[in-house]
Amino acid sequence: MSRFPEQFDSPIHLPFNRACLDGQFVLESPARDPGDPGYSLLLKGSRMLVTRESGILKLPFDIRPKAPELYLGRWQGAPCRLVDLGEAGEASGSYEIHGLLDEIPQLPIDLLSLGGMARMILHWQHRSRFCGYCGQPTRWLDTEWGRNCDSCQEHMFPAIHPCAIVLVARPGEILLTRKSNWAPNRYSLVAGFQEFGESLEETAIREITEETGVLAGNIRYVGSQCWPFPSQVMVGFVADYVSGEIEIDTSELADARWFATNDLPGLPPKRSIARYILDSVLGLP
């Protein structure tokens, strides 16, 4: 298992990205479950149940849970099956429960990322059980990750929702925003979903203006991160301030302000693309 790193050399290695699973996991169609004993990925909402062996957190093996299982593929060469316990579900046995969104993750980065992928899969499975064209039940495709409607023969594939997240900077200052449900003094970057007909750069510029009243330009791509809460990809940018005074959209934000780069508030956790952008631009440790 890979311990959770203190910093990331590249956004591709951020938690929840597939690179964190290299050499450990192979995704396969749920229809290809070989039936052999394997690992169980137990989820209770955004929390994962794991065992501890010789101080190392692991997926439980061959526990034969009573809840329905969904085959995901192979973890360390053995079958891996997702078990949705639900928020109120119970699991017999001695397990540790760790959150996928913990401020400082206790799960190793590979298990954290596998749990995130499973959560995204579960979200899509719940929303694809019936055909969006004719309303009839769907079934898993045999050779790829998707579903088929036997009634109208339409195929459905996972829906990933792109979001732009952007740091706006001007000499000596950066623009940070805050939502009311965040931890006290926690600020982060402007972010929002892509709309019809937009490039992601256009999404970033629009969101800056809509949320803060500020105009920005000279937008540059930094990197991206899979964000399975519930099913996004966060595409990160840096932009330069052009003009305007802050006037926040109170339906979206509780606050937005310019912060001196040597006097910053509480920042997002290091498991996020938001913090990666801040660390990269500002040279934070």
Side-chain angles (χ1 to χ4, degrees), residues 5-277:
E6 296 183 1
Q7 61 184 21
F8 302 93
D9 295 330
S10 165
I12 198 172
H13 296 109
L14 285 167
F16 310 119
N17 286 345
R18 187 75 68 89
C20 299
L21 303 176
D22 283 353
Q24 301 260 39
F25 179 70
V26 177
L27 185 68
E28 294 182 350
S29 167
R32 303 188 68 181
D33 190 335
D36 301 332
Y39 293 99
S40 292
L41 201 165
L42 306 175
L43 284 186
K44 286 173 61 69
S46 292
R47 296 174 294 165
M48 183 190 294
L49 282 68
V50 293
T51 61
R52 186 181 291 271
E53 300 177 22
S54 302
I56 299 174
L57 296 178
K58 296 183 176 182
L59 296 181
F61 188 85
D62 197 21
I63 62 170
R64 305 185 186 279
K66 296 179 181 179
E69 298 176 289
L70 177 68
Y71 179 67
L72 300 180
R74 294 189 175 271
W75 174 252
Q76 299 180 343
C80 180
R81 301 176 180 95
L82 169 61
V83 180
D84 178 19
L85 298 175
E87 289 288 358
E90 298 294 336
S92 59
S94 178
Y95 299 106
E96 293 185 24
I97 302 180
H98 294 278
L100 302 177
L101 283 170
D102 287 349
E103 181 85 5
I104 302 176
Q106 299 302 303
L107 290 168
I109 192 169
D110 42 15
L111 280 188
L112 184 75
S113 301
L114 183 64
M117 179 187 293
R119 193 182 186 281
M120 183 179 279
I121 287 169
L122 196 62
H123 173 81
W124 183 69
Q125 181 201 21
H126 287 166
R127 285 153 181 78
S128 62
R129 290 173 296 174
F130 296 94
C131 178
Y133 296 90
C134 72
Q136 295 301 306
T138 62
R139 62 172 179 81
W140 293 109
L141 293 172
D142 293 335
T143 59
E144 56 186 326
W145 201 275
R147 296 182 73 86
N148 180 69
C149 176
D150 289 332
S151 177
C152 69
Q153 300 304 315
E154 290 288 346
H155 286 9
M156 285 145 280
F157 296 95
I160 312 298
H161 307 293
C163 298
I165 182 166
V166 55
L167 172 63
V168 183
R170 65 187 185 187
E173 293 183 314
I174 58 172
L175 178 63
L176 297 177
T177 65
R178 170 175 168 74
K179 294 193 174 183
S180 60
N181 61 340
W182 290 352
N185 198 41
R186 166 68 56 78
Y187 283 76
S188 188
L189 309 185
V190 172
F193 287 98
Q194 186 179 30
E195 293 186 351
F196 293 120
E198 283 185 331
S199 68
L200 283 159
E201 290 83 353
E202 289 172 311
T203 300
I205 295 299
R206 174 182 54 76
E207 287 289 344
I208 294 166
T209 302
E210 287 183 354
E211 292 192 359
T212 71
V214 167
L215 298 178
N218 189 27
I219 189 162
R220 290 95 71 195
Y221 173 73
V222 177
S224 63
Q225 180 185 27
C226 173
W227 194 248
F229 306 102
S231 189
Q232 287 96 260
V233 57
M234 305 299 296
V235 183
F237 299 95
V238 177
D240 295 336
Y241 169 77
V242 173
S243 64
E245 298 297 326
I246 293 175
E247 184 176 347
I248 66 169
D249 177 356
T250 56
S251 67
E252 293 280 345
L253 302 175
D255 191 23
R257 65 180 73 174
W258 292 101
F259 287 91
T261 55
N262 61 356
D263 186 21
L264 297 173
L267 298 176
K270 286 185 174 289
R271 56 172 165 68
S272 65
I273 184 72
R275 183 59 178 271
Y276 179 86
I277 295 169

